Each structure stands twice: as C-alpha cells, then as structure tokens.
Amino acid sequence: MRAAVERGRKARRGAHVKLSDVAKKVGVSPITISRALRNPEIVSEDLRQTILRTVAEMGYIPNLAARALAGRHNGIIGVITPALHQHGFAGLMIGIEDCLRATEFRVQYSSTLHNADGEAGELRSFLTQKPAGVIIAGAESYGDLLPLIEDATCPIAHITDLSQEPARLVVGLDHHEAGAEPTRFLLSRGYERIGFIGRGADIRSRRRKEGYEAAMREAGRFDPDLAIGGNEGSSSSTGLGRELFARLLQRVPDIDAVFAQSDDLALGVLIECAARGIRVPEDVGICGFNDLEFSAFTQPSLTTVQIARYDIGYRVADMLLRAIRGEPPGEDKVDCGFSIIPRGSTR
C-alpha cells in the first residue's frame, strides 16, 4: 500500500517537473537537455545516460505542444492506415518502427477502418498538431486529400497502388499485376475454372480483381459467376473464406481453383475443402495473398503472393525521414513488387 502511495506521489510530482528542473539536477543548461532528448547522438554517452536516468527518476514528460510552438514540429510522425487491426499491416508497422527507432521521432497511428470519408479528417487532425511528417499508408481516394497535401507544411509520404495520384515520396506496387500474375500462374498449372473471392472493399482489392479478370479474359476463361465477394461490412477472415467458397460451389460446381484475396480467406477455402472431402491440389487449387506466417504450415501449405511489407514500411519511413531533413529522397516513386510463393495447395 505504501509503495502504491509513493508511486502516486512520484507520478503527481512528475506532472509538474519542468525542463529547467531536470537541467538543474544534471548541472547543464536547459537547451542541452532539450537537444539531448531530440538528438541523443549529439552528447556523450555518459551525459546521455545521466540525462535519461534523471528524466526517469524525476518523471519528466516532454510537452509536445510546447515543442511544436517553439519549433517547426512536435517530433511526431503520423501514420494513417485503413486497417491497423489486420495481420497484413503488422509487417509495414515493424518496418516503419525499425527505421525510426534510433531517431528523435515518435510514431502515432490512426486507423480509418476503410472509411474513405474519414481520410481527409484524419490527415487534417494530424496537420493541426504540427507533425514532423505524415505517412498515408493506403488511402482509398486522393480527391479530398490532395488539397491538404499541397498546403501541408510538413512532408507527406505514401504507400499506394502505383496507379494512384501521388507522384513523389511514394512506395508501393501495381495491384493490377498482383492480381493478374497469380491468375496466370494458376492457369499455367492446368487449372481452368478459377474463382476469385474477396471483399473488394478497397482500391487495392478492386485492382487485383481487375487484374484477375484481365488474365482470365486473355486466356478465354472469363466468367463473371466465378468471382464472389463478401458484404461491405464483413472482414477478411477464415470464416468468410469458408462461406464464400461454399456459395461459389453452389453457383459453379465445376470450379477447380480459387484465388483468395488474403491468406485468411484461403485458409477458409482449405478448411471447407477438407470438410467436403475435396482434394487439394488435385481437385481444387488454392492461392492466397500476403504470405502470412501460418501459410507455410497448413496441410497442404498455401501457395500465396508475398508482399515485401517490412521493406515497404522501412523504405517509406526512410523516404519521409530524408524529406524532413532536407535530403534527396533517392527515388520519388518505388515499386517494391511482389512474388508468387508456390506451395502444396497448387499442382
């Protein structure tokens, strides 16, 4: 009980600790403390450790609003994403965090939950806080965003489908090809009645569906009944994969392959096949998307499309960091591409 009370007292004291109090305790000027917290590499190792220890002991909390008023930005990099909760975003997040970990910047995330109408509001909210920069990681539309981007006083970098509007500080891939090429792969393995399942709720999924349709038309195999999607509010999940595949079988009983828009959906197809006694890959081939960790360990293992999510996150953060520091970006637009990973779920 006494320890808890003491912690509470320390927390209350920390709320009133000023930068000048920390400086007095360490025996240096407030500007030295401020610079050391923003750019730790500019002070000696011994002094840095002394400052960090004193900050922790005194409970000093930097005032980001005051920093923003005093300088060009508040030291925060905002990241706007449509799907913070989805597995596919984790790799991007780790790449962003790893790139920025040793810098003076900290990351703040905002998720729009695929609500295109909320994208401009989230960006506007970040910009009012004077961030060091912003990463827009998968905008649905740039119609309302472009005016804000043009007027922004900080750099804004993008993870996009390469068909979208931004021309600089862009990292992404061509999702049309990421739909067409796996379809061609399935065709090359002897499959003919290839289905497509997914939600289609965002521009990247829609572009992949368009790529699938283009490849099927090229092969003379296109049939609109072969494509099926979930409801607008449904999530990309294993249960949805089972449901969509069951509905697809009712519609097209002679289907012999499925291109699923996520590995979660593909797993659902695999489970439904097992429940119905459908052999994979002999009767039905399955290709997923994202190469999530479990995909290599299902039985049979899932053929899938691998996206360099970590690399995309790292490169877009590095591109933004260069822009914040006034350095050349290297490339204005980077295509990170994709790879097809053949495994046991296809011939």
Side-chain angles (χ1 to χ4, degrees):
M1 181 67 177
R2 183 177 298 174
V5 171
E6 184 62 24
R7 284 196 300 271
R9 288 174 180 166
K10 286 182 179 179
R12 288 193 293 274
R13 284 202 302 271
H16 301 290
V17 173
K18 300 177 182 178
L19 188 69
S20 57
D21 298 327
V22 178
K24 185 176 180 181
K25 178 83 171 179
V26 176
V28 297
S29 67
I31 191 65
T32 298
I33 301 292
S34 179
R35 287 173 177 168
L37 291 176
R38 287 200 307 268
N39 300 289
E41 69 277 2
I42 68 173
V43 299
S44 69
E45 177 66 21
D46 289 345
L47 180 56
R48 179 163 62 249
Q49 292 303 321
T50 299
I51 290 172
L52 293 176
R53 185 170 57 252
T54 305
V55 164
E57 289 173 354
M58 298 182 70
Y60 171 66
I61 301 173
N63 188 329
L64 297 181
R67 177 189 291 184
L69 287 172
R72 293 184 299 112
H73 57 71
N74 65 3
I76 294 293
I77 288 177
V79 179
I80 301 172
T81 170
L84 188 60
H85 63 292
Q86 291 182 349
H87 298 309
F89 187 71
L92 293 174
M93 187 189 307
I94 295 169
I96 291 170
E97 298 272 1
D98 279 359
C99 181
L100 298 173
R101 197 176 310 282
T103 71
E104 68 271 29
F105 302 109
R106 293 297 172 261
V107 183
Q108 182 176 321
Y109 294 95
S110 174
S111 178
T112 65
L113 297 177
H114 292 286
N115 178 14
D117 294 336
E119 292 171 344
E122 295 298 333
L123 178 57
R124 190 178 292 109
S125 177
F126 269 132
L127 293 177
T128 60
Q129 301 171 52
K130 292 184 68 176
V134 176
I135 296 171
I136 300 177
E140 178 62 21
S141 169
Y142 274 87
D144 294 332
L145 292 173
L146 287 176
L148 295 172
I149 293 168
E150 290 169 0
D151 293 339
T153 57
C154 67
I156 298 178
H158 313 267
I159 298 173
T160 69
D161 177 84
L162 295 181
S163 69
Q164 291 180 280
E165 288 89 341
R168 62 182 304 272
L169 301 184
V170 172
V171 180
L173 62 137
D174 184 340
H175 283 272
H176 185 281
E177 275 303 298
E181 197 56 38
T183 307
R184 296 187 190 110
F185 168 82
L186 289 169
L187 288 163
S188 74
R189 296 301 172 101
Y191 299 109
E192 298 179 350
R193 299 283 280 165
I194 302 168
F196 178 99
I197 66 171
R199 287 182 65 239
D202 59 78
I203 186 172
R204 293 160 298 284
S205 296
R206 292 197 301 274
R207 291 274 292 162
R208 292 197 292 270
K209 184 173 185 246
E210 290 167 2
Y212 153 82
E213 292 174 349
M216 291 293 280
R217 283 193 175 95
E218 288 170 6
R221 299 288 180 185
F222 178 71
D223 178 349
D225 285 342
L226 286 167
I228 192 168
N231 297 325
E232 187 64 28
S234 60
S235 62
S236 179
S237 67
T238 301
L240 180 62
R242 291 195 68 172
E243 174 194 331
L244 293 179
F245 183 59
R247 286 165 51 192
L248 198 54
L249 282 173
Q250 286 182 333
R251 184 192 295 180
V252 190
D254 62 342
I255 189 170
D256 64 2
V258 174
F259 177 26
Q261 285 306 278
S262 75
D263 286 349
D264 295 315
L265 290 171
L267 178 60
V269 176
L270 185 63
I271 292 171
E272 187 66 16
C273 283
R276 291 170 178 259
I278 297 172
R279 298 175 302 163
V280 178
E282 294 86 357
D283 300 330
V284 170
I286 304 171
C287 179
F289 196 92
N290 269 331
D291 192 26
L292 299 181
E293 184 180 8
F294 68 78
S295 302
F297 302 102
T298 57
Q299 187 56 44
S301 55
L302 282 173
T303 293
T304 187
V305 180
Q306 183 184 77
I307 304 298
R309 297 187 300 277
Y310 177 91
D311 190 42
I312 291 172
Y314 194 99
R315 292 181 77 166
V316 77
D318 181 67
M319 192 179 278
L320 181 65
L321 195 58
R322 290 171 180 269
I324 293 169
R325 292 173 173 171
E327 301 170 0
E331 296 179 74
D332 279 332
K333 205 163 192 173
V334 176
D335 183 354
C336 284
F338 60 90
S339 303
I340 297 172
I341 310 297
R343 294 196 182 110
S345 65
T346 50
R347 298 173 190 149

